[in-house]
Every structure is written in structure tokens, then in C-alpha cells.
Amino acid sequence: MKKLILISLLSLGLIGCASLELEFSTSPAEAEIKRILALGLTHTENLSEARKLTNPVLVSEVVQELNTRNDNALIEAENVAKYAEKVKVSDNNSDNQIKFTGPEIYESDKVGILDNYDYKDYFLLGWKDKNNGLMRHQLHLSIKYTSDNWRNYYSASFCDKWQGCSDEDQIDITLINRGADSCSASICDFTEIMKLNLSEDFLRSNMETGFSIRFNSIKAKNKITISSEYTKGYLKVAK
């Protein structure tokens, strides 16, 4: 009896594994696309290779997907070039460094149920040492908000690809400047400007995906995202 139960359990396990394999198996079109792209051909040659397939339906699916991917790649390349064109380069002989200033990104987030907004302005900044070629980078962020007091941002958290941001591994940030204006009896428009050091390895390893970072205060948390296209455009110049 025990043997029969064991055999039944093993059978169920094998069936479950088989169903999982089927669920996550690659479709014929995906397999052919992967094979063709691995050849390292031009887009025109990729289409020629796809049309050699014997199944007309499969040919249609593969050609359509190859065209879509090529269109997306062209759009991305254009955006990367636009970001690269906006990177400012300053060659200062006095400190023997080359400075790279990425284009500024402006965003606004609605806060609460009232018509209050957080206004964010951020960009990448880098320096190259002429003596040893070493690069260092920073992310600069300015946040303007309306409140009855300072938020006092104190740390940053890196976010994963699911946009979850770690509360455990928080990184110190540096306050550059802050100010208040348009004050009434109880509130002001506050601005806090801060920076975060980023390594060359970090930027290079996140070129294909981009990255998100959350800046933390007791009263609020603000997340910003540097896109893959922005990162590639900046690093295309800052090298």
C-alpha cells in the first residue's frame, strides 16, 4: 500500500513538472527569433533568414516581431543620441579634470488630496581625472514643496526592478543647499538640493535597464527614475 502511495505521489510530481515545463517553454517563434538574432546579422539579413522558414504562419510571426524590435531599437538609438547631445562638457585645466553635466529632468508629483505638488529637478554629474582617467559620478536632485516646515531629507534607497525600495540599506546623501520663499503665516515653499555619489560600475551595470532611487525624509519619500536611454546617452559622452 505504501509503495502504491509513493508511486502515485511521484507520478503527480512528474506531471506537475511536465506542466510547468510546458507553461514556461519557448514558443516556436521565440525560439527562431533567438536563433536568428544570435547570428549577429543586419536587420535585412535577419528578415531574409526568417523567410527561409518553411511554415508561412511562423514566417509571418517572426518577421513581424523582428520588425517591431528593429523599430524599437531605432527609436531608442535616437533618444540616446538626443540625451548625449545635451551633455555639457567642461575642460578645466586648473583642477586637471573634465566635467560632464547631464541634461536636467523636470517632474511634478501631486501630494495628498489638495492641489499641492512636489517639483523635482535632477541630473547626472561626472568628473574625469586627466592624470589617471578615473571617473566619479553624482546624482543631483532638487525638490521644491509647500509645507509648514522642512522635510530634512537624510538618506537614499536603491529600488529593484519591481520598484520596491529597500528600507534596510539606506545610503547617506549630502545636502548642497536649501531655501524658503513665498511664506505666509503658516507655510512656505521650501527647496532642498542634495547629491548622491554613484560609482562607474553602478551606472555601467544599469545601462540596459535604467535605475530608480528613493530619497527619504521623515515626512515624505520621493522616487526618481533615470531611464536606460538617459544613462546610455550620458555615458556615451562621460567616458
Side-chain angles (χ1 to χ4, degrees):
M1 183 66 178
K2 290 182 178 179
K3 288 184 178 181
L4 289 174
I5 295 174
L6 181 60
I7 292 171
S8 299
L9 290 173
L10 288 172
S11 299
L12 289 172
L14 291 172
I15 292 171
C17 291
S19 63
L20 284 173
E21 288 178 1
L22 288 173
E23 182 179 351
F24 294 104
S25 62
T26 304
S27 70
E30 290 172 346
E32 289 298 335
I33 292 167
K34 185 176 180 180
R35 177 187 67 81
I36 292 171
L37 292 177
L39 298 175
L41 306 174
T42 65
H43 178 59
T44 301
E45 291 170 334
N46 285 341
L47 296 180
S48 297
E49 189 69 23
R51 293 188 177 101
K52 295 177 183 178
L53 301 172
T54 57
N55 186 328
V57 175
L58 185 58
V59 169
S60 177
E61 290 178 358
V62 173
V63 167
Q64 182 178 357
E65 180 61 23
L66 287 172
N67 281 327
T68 299
R69 294 193 185 190
N70 183 65
D71 291 342
N72 291 339
L74 290 174
I75 293 171
E76 180 186 359
E78 289 177 2
N79 290 333
V80 168
K82 288 178 182 178
Y83 281 121
E85 289 173 0
K86 295 179 182 178
V87 177
K88 298 177 182 177
V89 181
S90 304
D91 192 342
N92 191 342
N93 291 322
S94 62
D95 59 7
N96 219 26
Q97 290 185 335
I98 303 174
K99 182 180 178 181
F100 306 93
T101 306
E104 295 184 48
I105 305 296
Y106 301 95
E107 292 179 349
S108 62
D109 298 325
K110 189 173 182 180
V111 181
I113 58 175
L114 301 176
D115 289 333
N116 289 333
Y117 287 84
D118 284 355
Y119 298 95
K120 299 179 293 186
D121 169 12
Y122 55 93
F123 60 94
L124 291 178
L125 189 64
W127 296 266
K128 181 178 182 179
D129 191 308
K130 292 183 182 179
N131 292 325
N132 52 30
L134 292 179
M135 293 289 305
R136 59 189 179 95
H137 307 276
Q138 292 177 346
L139 171 61
H140 281 229
L141 168 66
S142 171
I143 299 180
K144 184 176 181 179
Y145 56 90
T146 302
S147 178
D148 59 352
N149 208 339
W150 298 100
R151 290 181 182 171
N152 294 318
Y153 289 88
Y154 59 86
S155 72
S157 305
F158 290 105
C159 308
D160 57 32
K161 62 181 179 180
W162 298 281
Q163 296 301 304
C165 309
S166 173
D167 286 320
E168 298 177 0
D169 302 320
Q170 296 188 10
I171 304 162
D172 290 336
I173 60 175
T174 302
L175 179 67
I176 300 174
N177 198 1
R178 69 178 188 172
D181 56 27
S182 304
C183 294
S184 65
S186 58
I187 61 173
C188 288
D189 290 337
F190 294 101
T191 301
E192 295 187 53
I193 304 173
M194 61 210 81
K195 63 182 179 181
L196 171 67
N197 292 325
L198 299 173
S199 69
E200 175 84 358
D201 288 342
F202 174 82
L203 291 179
R204 296 281 173 192
S205 63
N206 286 279
M207 281 179 58
E208 297 301 327
T209 59
F211 58 93
S212 296
I213 297 177
R214 188 185 68 194
F215 287 79
N216 309 308
S217 74
I218 295 176
K219 291 187 175 182
K221 296 180 179 180
N222 297 79
K223 184 165 61 177
I224 65 171
T225 297
I226 302 291
S227 69
S228 169
E229 294 167 346
Y230 183 108
T231 307
K232 287 179 179 179
Y234 168 79
L235 290 176
K236 187 176 181 180
V237 180
K239 60 183 180 179

